[in-house]
Amino acid sequence: MENEKMLPEEIERCGEDIYAQHIRDKMTAADKGKFVVIDVTTGDYEIANEDITASLRMLEKGCSGENFYGIRVGHRAAYHLGGYSLTRSQ
């Protein structure tokens, strides 16, 4: 299955499962805000301050990059879209 191209929905589901079952409990307060990139076919992962750094490390390991899933530690989403904050600073 390592070379098999997966559908985006499958990558998301597998990535979320791998993160929840094998990675989340290893994260510390110092990891909050960092990016985790997971190869969902192997379960291998890298963590870095920037998503591109984690992705490049995965590619250096020989992962194909076709089935990568990214998540940001301590956040509901890896990226935020929009032009304003919901909280106001005084």
Side-chain angles (χ1 to χ4, degrees):
M1 182 170 155
E2 188 168 336
N3 295 324
E4 183 180 325
K5 179 71 173 166
M6 300 169 68
L7 295 173
E9 296 82 10
E10 293 175 300
I11 294 171
E12 178 183 15
R13 182 184 51 75
C14 289
E16 288 287 337
D17 288 348
I18 292 168
Y19 183 76
Q21 295 173 16
H22 303 288
I23 302 171
R24 181 184 293 137
D25 288 343
K26 297 177 184 176
M27 299 296 101
T28 67
D31 296 320
K32 186 172 182 178
K34 292 184 179 179
F35 290 89
V36 177
V37 174
I38 304 165
D39 183 328
V40 300
T41 57
T42 65
D44 196 13
Y45 69 94
E46 282 288 336
I47 182 168
N49 289 325
E50 301 292 331
D51 59 343
I52 189 70
T53 303
S55 297
L56 290 172
R57 287 181 190 161
M58 292 294 289
L59 293 172
E60 288 171 0
K61 290 181 176 182
C63 298
S64 71
E66 288 188 5
N67 298 320
F68 282 2
Y69 177 75
I71 191 164
R72 196 166 186 192
V73 178
H75 294 262
R76 291 182 293 177
Y79 305 98
H80 300 279
L81 301 175
Y84 63 93
S85 174
L86 294 176
T87 60
R88 290 185 178 210
S89 57
Q90 301 288 331

